[in-house]
C-alpha cells in the first residue's frame, strides 16, 4: 500500500471516532476541525544511550535533527555522556538541533529532577541542549509520577521544562489526568490503539485552544521495530495523520533508511 493510501486509511478511520465517548468536553466537536488537514512529515527522534553512543556518519547521512537522550540515573556519568554527545553534534549542526531527555524514571525525588535541570542550565557545554530541549520524558518512577510532592514542585516552578509521560498501556482518560497535574502531555504509539490516540490528540488540541498559555505536547512513542516493516509503516502513517512531529527510533541504519524512503505524507510506491 502506498504511503498516501495508508494515511488516507487512517484519516478515514479517524473520522468515525466518537470523541465524546471518552471526554465529555469534546461533545459537539469534530475530528476534521481538531486534526491537521493534511498528514505531516514525521521525523525520527534518534534514541541514544551510553551503550549505543552516537554514530557520526549515521546521524549525518540520515539528516537526524532530533535526539532522545536516555539517562541512567548516575548523575556524573549522565552529564559526561550528554557533554560528549553535544560536542560532536555542535560540529555537525552549529545552528542547532532539538533534544528530548528520556529520564526513564530515574529521578527518585522532585528535588533531584530540579537539581539536574539547574545543572544543565549552568553547564556552558550543554547550553544548546538546554535551549532546544523539547521536553523531559518520564522524569519519575511510575509510583511517584502523581505524588503530591510532584504537584508542589510544579506549582513553585512555573518556568520548568515541559514534562511528559509515556501513555502506552494507560487508561483512556490518562491524558486529562496528566494535564491536570501539571505535565505538558504524553507520548503514545498510535496505530495499535488508534481510536484512543485520535481522541487524545483532539482533546489536547481543544484544550490548547481553550487554554493558550502553557506548554502542551503530544508526540510519537517508540517505533515498533521488532514487529516488522508493515507495523512500522502503519505507525508512521498513524502518527502523520495525528500531526505528531517525531517518533523515537533506535540508531539502526536500515530502519532510518526505511523511514526516509517511506515518508508518510508523500506519495511513493
Amino acid at each position: 500500500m502506498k504511503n498516501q493510501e495508508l494515511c488516507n486509511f487512517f484519516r478515514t478511520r479517524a473520522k468515525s471516532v466518537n470523541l465524546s465517548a471518552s471526554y465529555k468536553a469534546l461533545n459537539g466537536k469534530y475530528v476534521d476541525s481538531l486534526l491537521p488537514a493534511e498528514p505531516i512529515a514525521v521525523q525520527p527522534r534518534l534514541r541514544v544511550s551510553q551503550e549505543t553512543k552516537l554514530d557520526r556518519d549515521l546521524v549525518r547521512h540520515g539528516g537526524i535533527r532530533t535526539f532522545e537522550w536516555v539517562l541512567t540515573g548516575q548523575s556524573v556519568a549522565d552529564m559526561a555522556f550528554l557533554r560528549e554527545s553535544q560536542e560532536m553534534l555542535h560540529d555537525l549542526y552549529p545552528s542547532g538541533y532539538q533534544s528530548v531527555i528520556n529520564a526513564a524514571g530515574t529521578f527518585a525525588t522532585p528535588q533531584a529532577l530540579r537539581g539536574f535541570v539547574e545543572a544543565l542550565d549552568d553547564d556552558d557545554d550543554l547550553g544548546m541542549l538546554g535551549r532546544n530541549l523539547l521536553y523531559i520524558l518520564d522524569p519519575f518512577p511510575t509510583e511517584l509520577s502523581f505524588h503530591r510532592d510532584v504537584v508542589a514542585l510544579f506549582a513553585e516552578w512555573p518556568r520548568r521544562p515541559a514534562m511528559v509521560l509515556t501513555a502506552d498501556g494507560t487508561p483512556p482518560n490518562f491524558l486529562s489526568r496528566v494535564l491536570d497535574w501539571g505535565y505538558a502531555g504524553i507520548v503514545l504509539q498510535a496505530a495499535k490503539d488508534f481510536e484512543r490516540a485520535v481522541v487524545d490528540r483532539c482533546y489536547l488540541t481543544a484544550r490548547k485552544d481553550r487554554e493558550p498559555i502553557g506548554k502542551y505536547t503530544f508526540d510519537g512513542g517508540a517505533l515498533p521495530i521488532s514487529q516488522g516493516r508493515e507495523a512500522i509503516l502503519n505507525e508512521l502513517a498513524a502518527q502523520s495523520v495525528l500531526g505528531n512531529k517525531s517518533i523515537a527510533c533506535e540508531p539502526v541504519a536500515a530502519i532510518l533508511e526505511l523511514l526516509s524512503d517511506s515518508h508518510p505524507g508523500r506519495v511513493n510506491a
Side-chain angles (χ1 to χ4, degrees):
M1 184 181 291
K2 294 181 179 181
N3 297 317
Q4 190 62 48
E5 291 174 352
L6 271 177
C7 290
N8 290 341
F9 168 74
F10 281 107
R11 183 75 188 188
T12 300
R13 282 184 60 187
K15 291 180 180 180
S16 67
V17 174
N18 182 356
L19 298 179
S20 61
S22 296
Y23 292 113
K24 292 182 179 180
L26 293 179
N27 187 35
K29 302 287 186 179
Y30 296 95
V31 168
D32 280 343
S33 64
L34 295 172
L35 291 185
E38 298 292 336
I40 72 159
V42 183
Q43 303 297 333
R45 189 172 73 244
L46 197 66
R47 182 175 284 174
V48 187
S49 67
Q50 294 185 43
E51 288 73 29
T52 58
K53 300 293 184 181
L54 268 179
D55 184 323
R56 184 186 182 92
D57 291 336
L58 185 70
V59 170
R60 185 175 66 249
H61 293 314
I64 309 299
R65 299 299 292 260
T66 305
F67 300 86
E68 182 175 309
W69 311 105
V70 183
L71 304 185
T72 65
Q74 304 297 317
S75 58
V76 174
D78 283 337
M79 293 300 282
F81 156 65
L82 292 175
R83 195 175 295 111
E84 178 184 356
S85 300
Q86 306 325 297
E87 288 176 0
M88 191 194 84
L89 287 180
H90 182 72
D91 293 336
L92 281 175
Y93 301 124
S95 61
Y97 48 87
Q98 294 183 312
S99 290
V100 169
I101 290 178
N102 184 344
T106 58
F107 294 109
T109 67
Q111 292 73 26
L113 169 65
R114 186 163 190 172
F116 169 82
V117 172
E118 291 173 349
L120 199 66
D121 291 340
D122 292 340
D123 193 314
D124 292 338
D125 294 330
L126 295 175
M128 188 175 291
L129 186 154
R131 288 192 299 273
N132 296 287
L133 180 62
L134 297 175
Y135 53 87
I136 296 178
L137 177 63
D138 295 328
F140 308 111
T142 302
E143 64 273 14
L144 183 63
S145 294
F146 297 104
H147 193 276
R148 61 180 180 273
D149 290 345
V150 173
V151 177
L153 173 72
F154 288 172
E156 68 184 31
W157 191 17
R159 297 179 64 84
R160 66 187 178 278
M163 304 293 171
V164 174
L165 298 181
T166 299
D168 295 320
T170 59
N173 60 351
F174 184 72
L175 175 59
S176 176
R177 186 183 186 198
V178 163
L179 298 176
D180 289 345
W181 277 67
Y183 290 95
I186 59 173
V187 300
L188 183 71
Q189 285 191 346
K192 67 179 181 181
D193 194 0
F194 185 65
E195 287 75 14
R196 182 258 176 89
V198 169
V199 171
D200 277 352
R201 164 51 82 180
C202 291
Y203 177 77
L204 185 67
T205 300
R207 185 152 175 166
K208 285 171 63 177
D209 291 343
R210 190 175 72 246
E211 305 168 8
I213 299 175
K215 301 183 180 75
Y216 294 92
T217 299
F218 195 104
D219 215 354
L223 195 67
I225 293 176
S226 63
Q227 298 176 31
R229 185 177 187 274
E230 183 177 350
I232 291 172
L233 296 181
N234 278 329
E235 183 66 20
L236 288 170
Q239 297 286 356
S240 180
V241 167
L242 293 178
N244 292 339
K245 294 181 179 179
S246 73
I247 189 166
C249 179
E250 301 298 329
V252 179
I255 299 300
L256 293 174
E257 184 176 353
L258 174 61
L259 266 64
S260 176
D261 291 343
S262 305
H263 210 301
R266 77 173 183 225
V267 178
N268 52 7

